[in-house]
Amino acid sequence: MLAADEIGEVPADPCCPESGDETKNTEEKSDVNPAALVGSEQFSQGGSDDDELLSYVSAFIEKEVGSDLKSLKTLGKLIEQMTESKGKLEEQVLTISSEIPKRIQSALKDAEESKQVLNEFLEQETPLFSSITSHLLTAQPWMDDLGAMINQIEEIERHLTYLKWVSQIEELSDNIQQYLMTNSVPEAASLLVTMTELDIQLQESSCTHLLSFMRATVKFWHKILKDKLTSDFEEILAQLHWPFISHTQSQTVGVSRPASTPEVYANLETLFCQLLKLQASDELLTEPKQLPEKYCLPASPPVILPMQVMLVPLQKRFRYHFRGSRQTNVISKPEWYLAQVLMWIGNHTQFLDEKIQPILDKVGSAVNARLEFSRGLVMLILEKLASDIPCLLYDDSLFCHLVDEVLLFERELHSVHGYPSTFASCMHILSEETCFQRWLTVERKFALQKMDSMLSSEAAWVSQYKDITDVDEMKVPDCAEVFMTLLLVITDRYKNLPTASRKLQFLELQKDLVDDFRIRLTQVMKEETRAALGFRYCAILNAGNYISAVLADWADNVFFLQLQQAALEVFAENNALSKLQLGQLASMESSVFDDMINLLERLKLDMLTRQVDHVFREVKDAAKLYKKERWLSLPSQSEQAVMSLSSSACPLLLTLRDRLLQLEQQLCFSLFKIFWQMLVEKLDVYIYQEIILANHFNEGGAAQLQFDMTRNLFPLFSHYCKRPENYFKHVKEACIILNLNLGSALLLKDVLQSASEHIPATAALNEVGVYKLAQQDVEILLNLRTNWPNTGK
């Protein structure tokens, strides 16, 4: 502790937070220059030596006064400010010096009190620890005895619980026995349901003997009840002439009802419900019969017990006829057992819907009687296929026949009888790896054979509908139509496969077939290159165009869009495509057939270019005389009674007309449209460059050229568009320039000469109808005119 007379002498700690805060507040309130405050603060802290202080003071005076003598007037004010600042700082130092010792004294006092309390606690802890230790030693024998007693009690409780379970099981068993002795089967079935629930509850127990006793008891009474109810249920079904082997038999059940029919149906309902109660115990005791995991059948609950009883006679018939050495069990005739099952489903549909379904609805079951019945029969088919397919896997004809019959069976099963695609079906058997790869191989083999036969046919390149104009718009050759029908059939065959991965493999097969067909078209096209305008060459072009159009249409089909999404997921997992390609697939900018369509479009464009080049060469040959026409010396329009076509233009126009008519008849509309537009583009440039720019024209020559073009060449294309002159922009505008009257031509020439880069003559050109030609081209054309006035220059 500090003496009272020493308190005033304690200096303020420069590092004290309170001192710093006070100094900061003083700085904020003071009007002294900030640099001066900083200097004073450093001075008060005493952290600098004399040299640093002197240099600082010199720098401060230099800054505030400098070399200007006038600034000495401010020294008085500056001294006052510094004096005032010094006084405030001294006040703060005195205040802080008086407060800090009081706080230190208070803190020391609190620490002393805390130390005293802690010592008291430590003094109390020692006897208390000794007391607790002594008490634990004394109580330990009691604890040991009590623990042993608790263990005995727990053991006795377990024994009691075990005995209660045994007693409960025996009590239920005795009650079931009594109910059966009094023929109270419904009550016995209800108790068996209770016993089954107890069995399910005990599944997690470690009492193996109790579990075995429970399971044995359930099994014992389940067999007795099941046998009794099954026997009674079969008697009722026999009275109803179940099963209905023929269609007429199923109809007579509903038509010719005996007098006891209401009673029979009441018993049917009672026994059906009682058997339904045994479903839980039956599932608990019966190991479901399943096909190997390689078939990847969807998980499904067992067929309900009463339906199993109803299916037994049909299962016996099926195995009798289609297993073993029976004459009806012929591996090459799968249609026999497939048709038999479809007939059974059809024969029993009405009875199941009208008699069995109401019973299920009444007990609140979600089971559909007809589908449950179908599911039981379909399992017979699956077992039969699983055993037969390995025997005929490498016989192409038998295997292909089996697949065809199975697909027909599946189609009728789903479309006619409403069998859900989520249930186990024949497609799961065909999707097994070995079988599926064989199916793909056979499908490819027969498709290629079909392609060979269709392309070698005499009618391969002839359209089936060539005599029917309305139908034959695409002018599709027979081979292309048969090929696309083949692809469509393949799609129908695999569209019901259960997994997207299998469908994608078939899609790849289809794409391979399209590419193979394209290659064959290319090979035939190369053989026909010399006859680019021939019938077969045009038929190949029509075929490629048709296939491309159909594939583009399929790309928007829901089925192929779903496959595109599945392919997108596969590619994303395997990193098989770039991010750009994945984005295009995801945004539907591209389709699964894009690669094939692009290749076909390239083939189509290549073939059209060959045809255009061929026709263009013929047109150029026919235009040789027309190029040599004496455009300088032709009579003017006023000197002729009637304007007529130039005789030298006749071969050109006749050749053009004949080829257009020929290709219009041989190419489909869309292809012919591309053809004539490509041809016109080349023809327009040719006439402009080789005929117009290569000659000079007097007034008569320009008029004759315009007459030949506008009244003879352009109208050749008027059958294909409303304004053919718009496709001959160079020729049309050149004729306008060459036939301008003299005044307009002179005016236009002046405008063009006075025009510059900054002030183009576009408006003047547009005014006379020139939009395509550049200003330099128009100047060249004006210079080709010879009918300018003689200016003496």
Side-chain angles (χ1 to χ4, degrees):
M1 300 295 288
L2 298 173
D5 57 344
E6 294 177 350
I7 292 176
E9 299 175 3
V10 178
D13 186 356
C15 299
C16 180
E18 290 84 352
S19 175
D21 290 341
E22 292 293 338
T23 306
K24 184 177 179 182
N25 292 336
T26 306
E27 285 180 326
E28 291 175 353
K29 295 177 183 178
S30 176
D31 294 331
V32 181
N33 186 291
L37 291 177
V38 171
S40 64
E41 182 181 1
Q42 290 178 349
F43 184 78
S44 65
Q45 289 176 349
S48 302
D49 54 17
D50 293 341
D51 293 338
E52 290 179 350
L53 180 61
L54 288 173
S55 61
Y56 177 80
V57 171
S58 300
F60 176 73
I61 294 173
E62 182 67 25
K63 182 179 178 182
E64 293 295 331
V65 178
S67 58
D68 188 3
L69 296 177
K70 293 181 180 180
S71 60
L72 292 174
K73 297 177 181 180
T74 61
L75 281 176
K77 184 177 180 181
L78 186 61
I79 291 170
E80 290 179 3
Q81 290 178 353
M82 296 298 291
T83 304
E84 183 181 354
S85 177
K86 178 184 176 184
K88 289 180 180 179
L89 288 173
E90 287 176 348
E91 274 182 31
Q92 291 176 9
V93 169
L94 290 174
T95 303
I96 293 169
S97 298
S98 62
E99 287 181 356
I100 286 177
K102 293 179 182 178
R103 294 181 183 179
I104 293 173
Q105 187 176 5
S106 175
L108 289 173
K109 183 179 179 180
D110 291 342
E112 288 292 338
E113 290 176 356
S114 298
K115 181 179 179 181
Q116 186 177 356
V117 171
L118 181 60
N119 289 333
E120 291 176 0
F121 282 145
L122 288 173
E123 291 174 0
Q124 294 174 7
E125 183 264 345
T126 303
L128 186 61
F129 177 77
S130 301
S131 175
I132 292 172
T133 304
S134 174
H135 180 75
L136 288 175
L137 292 173
T138 306
Q140 187 61 43
W142 300 347
M143 292 291 294
D144 294 341
D145 295 341
L146 185 61
M149 291 177 65
I150 290 173
N151 290 336
Q152 291 176 5
I153 292 171
E154 289 177 349
E155 184 70 20
I156 293 170
E157 284 181 346
R158 283 197 296 272
H159 291 164
L160 283 174
T161 304
Y162 192 95
L163 291 174
K164 285 180 181 178
W165 275 101
V166 173
S167 175
Q168 190 175 4
I169 296 168
E170 289 179 343
E171 183 180 353
L172 287 171
S173 180
D174 292 341
N175 291 336
I176 291 173
Q177 184 177 10
Q178 290 176 8
Y179 281 129
L180 287 177
M181 290 174 65
T182 57
N183 206 27
S184 301
V185 178
E187 289 78 2
S190 298
L191 288 178
L192 181 60
V193 172
T194 304
M195 188 181 291
T196 304
E197 292 173 353
L198 293 177
D199 191 333
I200 295 171
Q201 291 177 19
L202 280 174
Q203 290 303 307
E204 297 180 359
S205 173
S206 59
C207 302
T208 55
H209 295 293
L210 179 63
L211 286 172
S212 301
F213 175 63
M214 170 68 85
R215 183 60 55 85
T217 307
V218 171
K219 187 174 183 180
F220 176 79
W221 290 117
H222 174 79
K223 184 178 185 307
I224 293 174
L225 282 169
K226 181 180 178 181
D227 291 345
K228 178 174 177 53
L229 291 173
T230 299
S231 176
D232 295 344
F233 193 53
E234 287 174 346
E235 288 181 10
I236 295 297
L237 291 174
Q239 293 178 30
L240 295 171
H241 308 290
W242 180 274
F244 310 138
I245 304 305
S246 63
H247 184 63
T248 54
Q249 184 183 356
S250 66
Q251 290 180 328
T252 55
V253 171
V255 176
S256 56
R257 296 181 178 178
S260 59
T261 297
E263 183 182 349
V264 172
Y265 283 126
N267 292 334
L268 174 73
E269 180 178 347
T270 301
L271 292 169
F272 191 96
C273 293
Q274 290 172 7
L275 277 171
L276 202 58
K277 288 182 179 179
L278 303 185
Q279 182 68 30
S281 57
D282 192 69
E283 291 180 10
L284 193 66
L285 299 171
T286 308
E287 188 70 26
K289 187 177 180 181
Q290 294 180 341
L291 290 172
E293 291 183 2
K294 64 179 182 178
Y295 295 110
C296 300
L297 297 181
S300 58
V303 177
I304 58 174
L305 188 56
M307 193 63 72
Q308 291 180 27
V309 177
M310 297 173 75
L311 285 167
V312 167
L314 293 174
Q315 291 170 342
K316 288 180 179 178
R317 285 177 175 274
F318 186 89
R319 294 191 176 99
Y320 176 82
H321 287 292
F322 305 114
R323 296 279 182 162
S325 57
R326 296 289 170 184
Q327 292 182 349
T328 47
N329 183 26
V330 183
I331 199 169
S332 61
K333 298 290 183 182
E335 61 269 27
W336 287 357
Y337 59 83
L338 294 172
Q340 184 66 74
V341 167
L342 287 174
M343 186 179 72
W344 284 344
I345 293 174
N347 292 346
H348 295 85
T349 296
Q350 183 179 356
F351 178 81
L352 292 169
D353 287 342
E354 294 179 359
K355 305 301 178 186
I356 304 300
Q357 190 60 48
I359 300 174
L360 290 168
D361 295 340
K362 190 174 181 180
V363 298
S365 174
V367 174
N368 183 298
R370 178 163 45 84
L371 295 181
E372 195 76 353
F373 181 78
S374 301
R375 189 159 69 94
L377 290 178
V378 167
M379 285 306 299
L380 294 173
I381 298 289
L382 302 189
E383 293 170 6
K384 175 68 174 169
L385 287 174
S387 64
D388 281 3
I389 284 178
C391 301
L392 47 78
L393 200 58
Y394 298 100
D395 188 320
D396 289 351
S397 59
L398 288 181
F399 181 76
C400 191
H401 176 64
L402 172 70
V403 171
D404 290 342
E405 292 299 329
V406 166
L407 293 175
L408 290 173
F409 169 80
E410 282 284 315
R411 184 178 302 171
E412 184 172 347
L413 185 66
H414 290 286
S415 61
V416 177
H417 301 292
Y419 192 78
S421 58
T422 53
F423 284 7
S425 69
C426 302
M427 302 307 287
H428 289 90
I429 305 298
L430 295 182
S431 296
E432 187 271 325
E433 182 64 27
T434 306
C435 179
F436 183 76
Q437 293 303 327
R438 187 61 186 161
W439 183 13
L440 274 178
T441 303
V442 171
E443 204 75 43
R444 184 189 300 273
K445 175 185 175 181
F446 282 102
L448 292 175
Q449 289 178 358
K450 184 70 175 175
M451 287 164 59
D452 290 337
S453 63
M454 72 174 76
L455 288 172
S456 60
S457 169
E458 294 181 359
W461 306 107
V462 180
S463 173
Q464 298 181 33
Y465 314 105
K466 61 180 180 178
D467 299 325
I468 310 173
T469 309
D470 295 339
V471 180
D472 197 32
E473 290 182 359
M474 296 287 287
K475 295 182 172 60
V476 186
D478 185 59
C479 63
E481 188 158 3
V482 172
F483 176 70
M484 294 312 293
T485 304
L486 173 66
L487 290 185
L488 186 61
V489 169
I490 292 175
T491 303
D492 288 338
R493 289 161 72 84
Y494 78 81
K495 69 189 303 183
N496 290 321
L497 283 169
T499 60
S501 61
R502 296 303 192 199
K503 294 177 185 177
L504 287 173
Q505 291 183 56
F506 257 103
L507 178 63
E508 287 302 315
L509 169 62
Q510 287 180 303
K511 292 165 70 173
D512 290 345
L513 292 175
V514 172
D515 196 47
D516 189 273
F517 193 78
R518 179 191 61 83
I519 292 171
R520 293 171 188 240
L521 288 180
T522 306
Q523 291 170 347
V524 179
M525 179 268 291
K526 289 179 180 179
E527 296 173 2
E528 300 292 327
T529 302
R530 292 185 178 180
L533 305 183
F535 170 76
R536 179 174 289 192
Y537 193 92
C538 292
I540 295 169
L541 192 47
N542 287 330
N545 180 66
Y546 173 70
I547 295 171
S548 176
V550 173
L551 291 179
D553 185 54
W554 285 2
D556 296 328
N557 183 282
V558 174
F559 174 72
F560 289 108
L561 289 175
Q562 292 171 343
L563 281 188
Q564 180 174 339
Q565 182 62 32
L568 179 66
E569 295 172 2
V570 172
F571 291 146
E573 290 176 2
N574 301 333
N575 294 323
L577 295 178
S578 66
K579 290 184 178 180
L580 175 62
Q581 291 171 317
L582 287 174
Q584 289 175 339
L585 276 174
S587 62
M588 302 301 173
E589 291 180 11
S590 60
S591 71
V592 291
F593 295 113
D594 269 8
D595 294 341
M596 298 298 101
I597 292 173
N598 292 336
L599 289 172
L600 288 167
E601 288 295 318
R602 190 183 304 170
L603 173 65
K604 180 175 75 174
L605 183 61
D606 180 55
M607 294 182 71
L608 279 172
T609 303
R610 290 172 185 267
Q611 287 188 323
V612 170
D613 291 343
H614 185 91
V615 173
F616 185 61
R617 283 195 300 270
E618 291 186 352
V619 170
K620 285 201 298 184
D621 290 340
K624 287 179 179 178
L625 291 175
Y626 195 62
K627 284 176 63 177
K628 298 177 182 179
E629 188 70 52
R630 302 183 63 185
W631 304 102
L632 278 171
S633 57
L634 292 179
S636 64
Q637 189 172 358
S638 59
E639 296 174 2
Q640 302 181 54
V642 178
M643 290 286 290
S644 61
L645 174 67
S646 300
S647 58
S648 58
C650 290
L652 162 67
L653 297 177
L654 285 172
T655 301
L656 198 56
R657 183 201 64 182
D658 293 343
R659 292 313 185 195
L660 287 173
L661 288 174
Q662 177 186 353
L663 291 172
E664 184 182 14
Q665 292 173 356
Q666 293 181 352
L667 294 178
C668 69
F669 175 77
S670 59
L671 286 175
F672 180 69
K673 183 178 179 181
I674 298 172
F675 166 80
W676 72 257
Q677 289 179 356
M678 290 173 65
L679 179 62
V680 162
E681 185 178 353
K682 293 176 73 73
L683 195 58
D684 178 42
V685 174
Y686 173 75
I687 293 175
Y688 175 69
Q689 292 181 349
E690 300 295 329
I691 296 177
I692 297 176
L693 294 182
N695 291 282
H696 287 75
F697 298 84
N698 64 0
E699 183 179 352
Q704 184 64 50
L705 176 69
Q706 186 172 35
F707 181 83
D708 292 343
M709 296 296 107
T710 58
R711 300 293 296 277
N712 294 279
L713 177 62
F714 297 171
L716 280 179
F717 297 90
S718 60
H719 298 292
Y720 318 126
C721 62
K722 291 183 179 180
R723 300 180 64 85
E725 64 273 12
N726 289 339
Y727 290 91
F728 291 90
K729 293 186 182 296
H730 290 90
V731 174
K732 182 186 75 170
E733 294 181 3
C735 288
I736 291 173
I737 298 298
L738 292 175
N739 286 276
L740 278 176
N741 61 56
L742 194 56
S744 299
L746 287 169
L747 182 60
L748 180 60
K749 195 170 186 180
D750 291 340
V751 171
L752 293 177
Q753 289 175 351
S754 61
S756 64
E757 292 182 3
H758 303 290
I759 309 175
T762 307
L765 293 175
N766 292 348
E767 188 176 344
V768 297
V770 175
Y771 299 91
K772 176 73 173 177
L773 296 177
Q775 180 176 323
Q776 295 83 351
D777 296 330
V778 175
E779 290 177 352
I780 293 171
L781 287 170
L782 288 172
N783 291 329
L784 295 178
R785 293 172 57 126
T786 60
N787 57 336
W788 296 108
N790 188 1
T791 58
K793 293 182 181 179

